[in-house]
Amino acid sequence: MTGNITRRGTSSWRLKFEAGACDPATGKRRTRFVTVRGTKKDAQRELTRLVAEVDAGTAVDPSRMTIAEYLRGWLDSDGDLAPKTIERYRQLVEQQIVPHLGATPLQKLRPAQVHDWHATLLKSGGKNGRPLSAQTVGHAHRVLHRGYERALRLEIVGRNPARPVPPPKPQPGEVEILTAEQIAAVLSRLEGHRLHAIAAVALGTGMRRGELCGLAWGALDLDNRLARVERSLEETAAGLRFKHPKSKHGRRSVSLPPYAVEILRAHRRGQIEQRLVLGLGKIGSDDLIFTLADGSPYPPDKLSRDWGNVVRDRKLPRVMFHALRHSHASALIAAGVDIVTVSRRLGHGSPAITLTVYAHLFADTDKTAASAIRPRCCRAIGRCQSGANFGFCS
């Protein structure tokens, strides 16, 4: 299959080539015309690529659909995404993607534009032109990437322009954590507050906010200090719903530290008294551990708002509730727990995810380990007095 090139301007060329099989409606050969800017060599390379796609059966029909139209249609029709995921994706699409790339035809986006889009978001992509964090830009990039992967599978596009451009790496400071001293102070200042128990379990297990809100008494074995994560409470615009973990890694058993067990026992006694006052009867295995005052499920978003209030009122370190999960992971890493164990405890799909999120913490641990390897008998001259191998002196 061949084509031809016609000059249109100083640096503009029109490519003409056959677009595969005949049109079934008319029986005529289908011909495509594509305009390319650059040198004649650039036009020849593009013609070769397009003809090769036709020969291989991977060419896609031209479309005027924009990125905004495609992404909105995808989120309106995709039944495989969880409701909360769709809500978050829509937010990223409308706030970070559509204002910058939405008018671009879906098939015309190029990797260079994706790269420039990252730079724009990092500089002024937030509210009122404020910079966005690398983490948020990464989330927006993954939505764009996932949308294009779907379009590629459906043969709407011939390639994914977001694939060759890596998202920006989050800075270490973007993962909020509490120090060991701050953790002790937080638990001490929360004594007597209704968020004391849930904060203690969050710090002691690294569970996600929804997992804590969906935790039932039947999932606890306080005698053996174990908690089973079997479901999560999800909050969307449609209301609350319980959902199972997305993968086998999310369904897990997590050991409880002794202090968390004691706090949970005290919390259970208080809940029994509260239920008697409300006339709710004894605690059943399906009853939730953390509830509102009337015994109803604790909406995760309300938990975050309540946490913000108690942080202000009791002068706690100014971190989000999710930072308690990060603090738990940080404590495990600092204690030298291996990456696979940390990953399983957090319910990550693979250790690679854990390394991506907490890479800087592992780097700090590695530096500490390196500085700890030194010979016991060395002096200022920097070598072993006994002549033995470095690091193994008697």
Side-chain angles (χ1 to χ4, degrees), residues 370-387:
S371 64
I373 302 173
R374 59 181 182 273
R376 292 190 293 274
C377 67
C378 288
R379 299 294 185 265
I381 59 172
R383 63 186 180 86
C384 222
Q385 299 281 314
S386 66

Side-chain angles (χ1 to χ4, degrees), residues 69-366:
E69 291 169 341
Y70 169 73
L71 291 178
R72 287 167 176 160
W74 164 42
L75 296 179
D76 285 341
S77 63
D78 197 320
D80 294 332
L81 295 175
K84 190 68 175 179
T85 301
I86 291 176
E87 281 191 5
R88 178 58 178 150
Y89 279 15
R90 278 207 181 101
Q91 186 181 49
L92 290 165
V93 165
E94 298 301 335
Q95 294 179 5
Q96 273 77 54
I97 299 178
V98 168
H100 305 280
L101 303 175
T104 305
L106 185 69
Q107 296 176 344
K108 297 292 186 181
L109 187 67
R110 297 292 180 263
Q113 293 171 277
V114 176
H115 178 273
D116 293 343
W117 170 59
H118 288 171
T120 300
L121 292 182
L122 290 169
K123 183 180 179 181
S124 58
K127 191 174 182 180
N128 298 322
R130 289 196 294 266
L132 274 182
S133 71
Q135 190 173 38
T136 301
V137 176
H139 291 327
H141 174 92
R142 280 181 278 277
V143 173
L144 184 70
H145 184 281
R146 185 167 182 174
Y148 263 98
E149 285 296 302
R150 174 182 178 270
L152 191 59
R153 290 194 302 273
L154 297 178
E155 298 184 1
I156 300 173
V157 298
R159 58 187 177 76
N160 182 350
R163 190 185 293 172
V165 186
K169 293 183 179 179
Q171 297 300 313
E174 291 182 17
V175 178
E176 298 177 312
I177 59 171
L178 299 172
T179 64
E181 293 76 15
Q182 287 176 320
I183 290 174
V186 164
L187 291 175
S188 175
R189 292 180 199 172
L190 282 176
E191 285 188 13
H193 194 278
R194 63 191 182 90
L195 294 186
H196 184 214
I198 196 169
V201 178
L203 285 165
T205 65
M207 287 187 198
R208 300 176 177 88
R209 185 183 64 169
E211 292 170 345
L212 290 163
C213 293
L215 197 62
W217 284 109
L220 283 191
D221 183 350
L222 295 180
D223 292 333
N224 291 309
R225 293 179 15 208
L226 280 177
R228 297 191 309 279
V229 181
E230 300 171 330
R231 63 180 182 177
S232 178
L233 183 63
E234 183 179 73
E235 182 175 7
T236 68
L240 298 173
R241 74 175 189 121
F242 291 103
K243 66 171 187 175
H244 295 296
K246 289 189 294 184
S247 69
K248 63 179 181 180
H249 305 284
R251 190 185 296 270
R252 63 200 187 278
S253 292
V254 183
S255 60
L256 296 164
Y259 77 83
V261 171
E262 294 307 312
I263 291 173
L264 281 169
R265 291 189 190 279
H267 178 71
R268 182 180 175 89
R269 290 192 293 271
Q271 194 174 86
I272 290 173
E273 294 172 1
Q274 180 187 31
R275 290 176 66 87
L276 288 174
V277 171
L278 295 173
L280 298 176
K282 296 180 180 180
I283 292 177
S285 60
D286 292 331
D287 289 319
L288 297 174
I289 298 172
F290 306 112
T291 67
L292 297 178
D294 61 358
S296 60
Y298 205 143
D301 288 346
K302 176 172 172 52
L303 171 59
S304 292
R305 293 193 297 271
D306 291 347
W307 175 257
N309 292 334
V310 74
V311 163
R312 182 188 65 246
D313 296 343
R314 301 213 172 184
K315 296 181 171 52
L316 304 180
R318 298 181 66 83
V319 297
M320 299 173 63
F321 187 83
H322 192 68
L324 305 188
R325 173 175 165 84
H326 291 321
S327 301
H328 175 77
S330 173
L332 295 181
I333 294 166
V337 178
D338 67 273
I339 180 64
V340 175
T341 300
V342 175
S343 178
R344 287 174 179 168
R345 192 168 176 86
L346 295 175
H348 283 162
S350 75
I353 297 173
T354 312
L355 280 171
T356 300
V357 177
Y358 303 108
H360 65 290
L361 297 179
F362 282 102
D364 292 342
T365 303
D366 184 64

